[in-house]
Amino acid sequence: MSKSKKVTIYEVAKRAEVAISTVSRVLNGSENVSKATKEKVEKAIQELNFRPQVSARKLASKEPQMLAIAVPSFTTPYFNEVLKGVKDEIKKMDLDIIMYNTGSKDPEEGVQNFFDRGTADAVILLSINLSPKVHELIQATQTPAVLVNSSHPSYNYFMLNDYQGGYLAGEHLVKQGFQRLGMITSILETSTSKERIRGFKDALKNYKMEIDKELFMSGDTTKHGGYTEEAGFEAIYKYEKQGKFPDAIFCSNDTMAVGALYALSKLGMDVPEDIAVMGYDNIKLSKYLELTTIDQKMYTIGVQATKRLAEIITKPDDQLYQTTINPVLVQRGSTENKK
Amino acid sequence: MSKSKKVTIYEVAKRAEVAISTVSRVLNGSENVSKATKEKVEKAIQELNFRPQVSARKLASKEPQMLAIAVPSFTTPYFNEVLKGVKDEIKKMDLDIIMYNTGSKDPEEGVQNFFDRGTADAVILLSINLSPKVHELIQATQTPAVLVNSSHPSYNYFMLNDYQGGYLAGEHLVKQGFQRLGMITSILETSTSKERIRGFKDALKNYKMEIDKELFMSGDTTKHGGYTEEAGFEAIYKYEKQGKFPDAIFCSNDTMAVGALYALSKLGMDVPEDIAVMGYDNIKLSKYLELTTIDQKMYTIGVQATKRLAEIITKPDDQLYQTTINPVLVQRGSTENKK
DNA sequence: TTGTAAGCGTTATCAC
DNA sequence: GTGATAACGCTTACAA
C-alpha cells in the first residue's frame, strides 16, 4: 500500500487552472459554470482521481449526509423487510444509509455509543426502546429520529399493532370452526409477545370460546427473544408430553411455526388435517408450508418511516406522525378446516 | 424538536474560562492539564451537554475513526458469526464499526457507492468479489482493507477452504460406511458451491466410490443464492420423483439441510436410519436436529480479520497476510450409520 | 461566469 | 500547564 498523499480540491483547481470554488461548483452541480471550465475541471478530477472528503464537506455544509438505521439484532425476522423498504425509498434521496447493530444484550448502551459518535445525521430506530437516557442523547445531538416498533410521546413513530394481529389470528381460527385453540408463545414476556397473546385471548372471549391454559405453551430456550425454531419444536413436544393438543395453534412468530411444523411432522401429525397451524410475520418455507400468517407489512413501514425522516430533514416541521399500522391476515393452506 | 444551536468547543471554553486548546486537551485525555482545570472543563462539558463533532475531529486529526464491514447480504448465514468476532475484537480499539449492505444484486455498484462516500477509514469486505474497478477505487481512496472469503494478490485476506470442507464431508460419509453418496447443491454456480462439490467428489474418487450423477440434486429456487430451505425441500422431492435416493446426503449449506430434513420427515423417512444428512456452516435447530456439519469457524475469522486491520491502521507494514482457513468436521447424530 | 475569502469545529504546534 | 493560532478540506456568500 503506497502512501501517495490524498488529493484535495486545491490540486484539482491548480491542474484545471481555476479557483477551488469553481471546482466546488462543479462538484455540486452548480449551474453557473461554463461548459468549457466544467469539462476542464472534470478532466482534472478524473486524472487525479480526486474524491471530496466527506468530513470536510459535512463540516462546511451542514447538510445531512448520512442516514442510519439501528437495530438490536440483524437476525430479527422482519428486519430485512423493513430494510428493503428503507433502501428503496432512500434511493430517491442522495443519502447513504448505514446499518448499526446495537447488540441485543444491552441495546441502550449500543444506541448511546452510536449517538456519542455522532456519525449519523438522521436515524431510524428499529425495535429500540427509548429510555430517558437515549431520549436525552437524541435531543442533545439534535438528531432527527423516527421510531419503528416502539413509541414515545415526542417522536415520530410507526407502531405495529400486535394486539390487533393476535386478535385477527384468534378470530380467524374461531371462524374456521376450530374448537380447542392454543398458542405457542415466547417464554420471554416482551410487550410484543404480551400484546399478541392479549389480542388472541380477547378474540376467543368475544366469540365465547373457552380459554384453556394448558393449550398455551412456550419453549424453554430464550435466545433470540425465545422466537426460535427450537422454541417451537420444544413447545410441540411439551404438548405431546402432556398428552393434550389443541386442534389449532397460533404461533407468536413464523420462525417458531417452522420448528413446530417440523416437530409435528416428526410425530406423524398432519397439518391441517390433525392440527391447524398459524404463524406471524414473514414465512420462510412459504411455497411448501403454505402457512396462514399475519402480515405486518414491514416493507411498507420501512418506506413510510424513511419518507417521514426525509421530510423532517429537508423541511423540519413540528408535527408528529405517530401511526399504528394494522396487520392483515394472509390465509393459506395450514388453517383450512377439513373436518 | 426545538432548534437549540449545536454546542461547540468554544462555548465550553468560555464557560470553563479556558482556551479551546485546553478543552481539546481534556477531550483527548492529555496529561498536561492540571486537575483543577480538568475538572472545570469536564463540568462545563457536562452542563452544556457538549459532544465533539466527528467530522471536525476527523478533518483536523487524520486519525481513522470509522471502521466498516461490507457484505452483499445480511441474511448470509455466516455473516452474524463473523460479525460477532469483529465486534468482540473491535471493543479493544477505540473505533466504531458500521455495517454496510452492498446489496446482492449488484455488489460491485454497492461497494463503489460506499467508497465514493469515503465514510470509512478502514474496511472489511466480506464475500465481496474484488473487481478491477473496486480495486482501483480502494487504491484511490487509500482505504486499508481486509478481505474475507474472497482473494486478491494485493490484499490481506482470509479465505475459506470450501474445497477442503467438501472433501471432509465426503470422507466422513465414506468412512461411516455409506454407499450411495449424494449432494444437495445450490442451483447457482458460485465458486463457493463449485469448490464444495469438487472437494466432495474428490473425496469419493480417492476412496474409490462411485459418483452417481442422479444423486446430485439441487432445488429450483435461486433466491439467496439458492441456499434456502425451499431449495433443500425441493431437492428431496426431486429425489422422490426420480424414485432413487442416496443413503447419505451432503447439503451445500445448513439452511438447505433444514428444508431437506423437513421434506424427509414429511415423506416419513427417518434420519439417520433411512438416510443420513450433513450440513455446512452453522446450524439452526441444533438441539433437535443434531446435524453433522462442517464448521467454517467464522467467528475466529472475524477476530483475525479485525486484528489484521487494526495492525494495518496503526502501524502500516507492507506485509500481506493471505491466509486460508481450514474448516473442521463437527459430527453429530445425523450421520451415524446404524446399519 | 469566475475568483476571493470567511467560515465549519476540531487538533496540533507553537510560544509563553 | 495554558493560550494563541495555523492547519484540515470543503462550501458559500460576496465581489469582480
Side-chain angles (χ1 to χ4, degrees), chain A residues 27 33 45 49 79 83 98 100 129 140 148-149 163 230 243 264 268 279 306 325:
Chain A
L27 245 35
V33 187
I45 290 179
N49 211 330
F79 169 65
L83 197 59
I98 264 178
Y100 189 82
N129 191 26
V148 172
N149 198 19
Y163 173 85
E230 243 172 284
L264 286 170
T306 313
I325 310 277

Side-chain angles (χ1 to χ4, degrees), chain B residues 1 11 26 30 40 72 86 142 155 160 167 171 175 180 196 211 235 243 286 288 290 292 325:
Chain B
M1 308 232 171
E11 278 116 71
V26 174
S30 161
K40 265 198 304 182
V86 173
Q142 296 277 314
Y155 290 85
L160 311 182
Y167 192 95
E171 186 174 50
K175 287 192 172 167
R180 286 167 293 118
R196 290 178 192 176
I211 296 180
S286 57
Y288 297 97
E290 297 243 290
T292 296
I325 310 276

